[in-house]
Amino acid sequence: MTEKELLAVACEQFLGKNVQDIKNVVLQTLEGHLRSILGTLTVEQIYQDRDQFAKLVREVAAPDVGRMGIEILSFTIKDVYDKVDYLSSLGKTQTAVVQRDADIGVAEAERDAGIREAECKKEMLDVKFMADTKIADSKRAFELQKSAFSEEVNIKTAEAQLAYELQGAREQQKIRQEEIEIEVVQRKKQIAVEAQEILRTDKELIATVRRPAEAEAHRIQQIAEGEKVKQVLLAQAEAEKIRRIGEAEAAVIEARGKAEAERMKLKAEAYQKYGDAAKMALVLEALPQIAAKISAPLSKVDEIVVLSGDNSKVTSEVNRLLAELPASVHALTGVDLSKIPLVKKATGAQV
């Protein structure tokens, strides 16, 4: 030490001694403290933590060597060994442990590296996804904004087009209104001209047609009234004529009816008086009429040909018809001709 007091102590301790003696004193002092410290530590602590071991030796030995005027500036453990190869075996074990720990560390590092790589990839994908999402959101927002702008532009364009069309329609309406006003003025003028023409035509018609027509109509009306009076008088005369003819015919019919009634009355009295003979006379009077009605269809036939090979058969047919005549008359009138001798003789005669 260079301090005066400590330098004096050093001089007292080492004056007259050579360097080697000084080294041996210091070495022996350090070795003694080193042995005392070795007794407090395990072999593993000494071997594994040399710096801590050297620090303890320096701290314990520094006061002793300091009293000798010596200052420990540096103290290191150069090597630690033994004669039974304990430390070398410990080193191998430690080496194996270290190798194992190294392998484990490598594996864990690789694992951590893989995990970290996966995490990094995940983070990268997350970031990429977020970035893609943000890009998609940005694109969507851009497209929406673009659509909004396009819609606004289209609306403005449509409004402008509509305003243009409306303005054009207004202009066309104004033009059409002016044209209509012109047409109305022209029409009014035309109506005025036509009205003047109608007045002129009316006056012309009155002069050329209406007045002659009114005169002719008056004449025809007078003629028609005269004809109507004439027809009325004729109709009245004809009605009077018909009435009088009807009255005359009624009187004639009445006279005829009275005469017929009188005749029927007389005839009834005669029938009542003569009885069956009168009835028979009526039947005989009616027979020609009955025969005429029955033979009326035959009057339209030109010729009747009876086809029969036996002449007596025709005669028998005629006789049969004559024999059935009284029965037919009796059925029609209720008069039995067979009770009249004349009729019996006639029906039994040969034709």
Side-chain angles (χ1 to χ4, degrees), residues 23-300:
K23 287 183 178 181
N24 289 332
V25 172
V26 175
L27 180 61
Q28 289 175 0
T29 302
L30 292 176
E31 286 179 352
H33 287 292
L34 187 140
R35 287 187 182 95
S36 65
I37 293 171
L38 284 174
T40 61
L41 299 175
T42 63
V43 177
E44 287 81 6
Q45 289 176 344
I46 296 170
Y47 185 77
Q48 292 177 357
D49 196 357
R50 295 181 184 185
D51 293 335
Q52 182 67 22
F53 176 51
K55 180 180 178 182
L56 291 174
V57 173
R58 189 171 52 249
E59 290 177 355
V60 174
D64 289 340
V65 295
R67 286 190 292 269
M68 290 184 293
I70 302 298
E71 182 182 3
I72 301 175
L73 298 178
S74 177
F75 179 83
T76 58
I77 302 299
K78 182 179 180 182
D79 192 12
V80 179
Y81 62 92
D82 65 304
K83 295 180 180 180
V84 294
D85 296 330
Y86 178 79
L87 292 176
S88 62
S89 298
L90 183 62
K92 292 180 181 179
T93 303
Q94 188 66 29
T95 301
V97 172
V98 170
Q99 184 66 36
R100 181 198 65 189
D101 293 339
D103 294 337
I104 293 172
V106 170
E108 289 178 351
E110 290 179 353
R111 180 198 64 188
D112 294 339
I115 293 172
R116 185 57 184 165
E117 183 180 1
E119 290 177 352
C120 291
K121 287 184 179 179
K122 181 177 179 299
E123 291 176 358
M124 181 190 70
L125 293 174
D126 291 339
V127 171
K128 185 176 182 301
F129 175 75
M130 292 177 66
D132 293 339
T133 302
K134 290 181 179 179
I135 292 171
D137 292 338
S138 299
K139 287 183 178 179
R140 181 173 60 83
F142 172 73
E143 294 295 334
L144 289 174
Q145 191 68 27
K146 184 179 178 181
S147 299
F149 289 157
S150 299
E151 184 179 359
E152 186 176 358
V153 170
N154 293 331
I155 291 172
K156 295 297 182 182
T157 303
E159 290 177 353
Q161 183 67 24
L162 181 60
Y164 174 75
E165 293 178 356
L166 288 174
Q167 186 64 30
R170 292 192 186 99
E171 296 297 329
Q172 291 294 329
Q173 186 176 6
K174 290 180 180 178
I175 294 171
R176 182 55 184 166
Q177 186 174 359
E178 292 178 358
E179 290 178 352
I180 292 172
E181 291 177 356
I182 294 171
E183 291 177 358
V184 168
V185 173
Q186 293 178 352
R187 184 60 180 167
K188 287 181 179 179
K189 292 181 179 180
Q190 184 178 359
I191 290 172
V193 173
E194 290 177 355
Q196 296 296 328
E197 182 65 20
I198 289 170
L199 291 175
R200 187 191 64 79
T201 305
D202 191 18
K203 291 178 180 179
E204 183 178 355
L205 289 173
I206 290 172
T208 59
V209 177
R210 184 175 177 181
R211 288 179 180 175
E214 289 178 352
E216 183 66 19
H218 181 70
R219 185 182 66 82
I220 293 171
Q221 183 179 3
Q222 294 297 324
I223 295 172
E225 289 179 355
E227 187 68 22
K228 182 175 70 173
V229 172
K230 177 182 178 181
Q231 293 296 329
V232 170
L233 294 176
L234 290 175
Q236 291 177 355
E238 184 67 21
E240 184 65 20
K241 174 183 176 182
I242 292 170
R243 185 181 65 77
R244 292 183 178 181
I245 292 172
E247 290 178 353
E249 289 179 353
V252 172
I253 291 170
E254 183 181 2
R256 288 179 179 177
K258 290 180 178 180
E260 185 67 21
E262 185 65 25
R263 186 178 68 83
M264 291 298 292
K265 179 180 179 183
L266 294 175
K267 186 179 290 185
E269 292 176 354
Y271 289 160
Q272 186 177 5
K273 182 177 180 180
Y274 293 104
D276 293 337
K279 293 179 181 180
M280 185 59 66
L282 288 174
V283 171
L284 291 177
E285 289 179 0
L287 282 177
Q289 296 178 1
I290 294 172
K293 296 294 183 181
I294 292 172
S295 62
L298 296 177
S299 63
K300 299 179 181 179

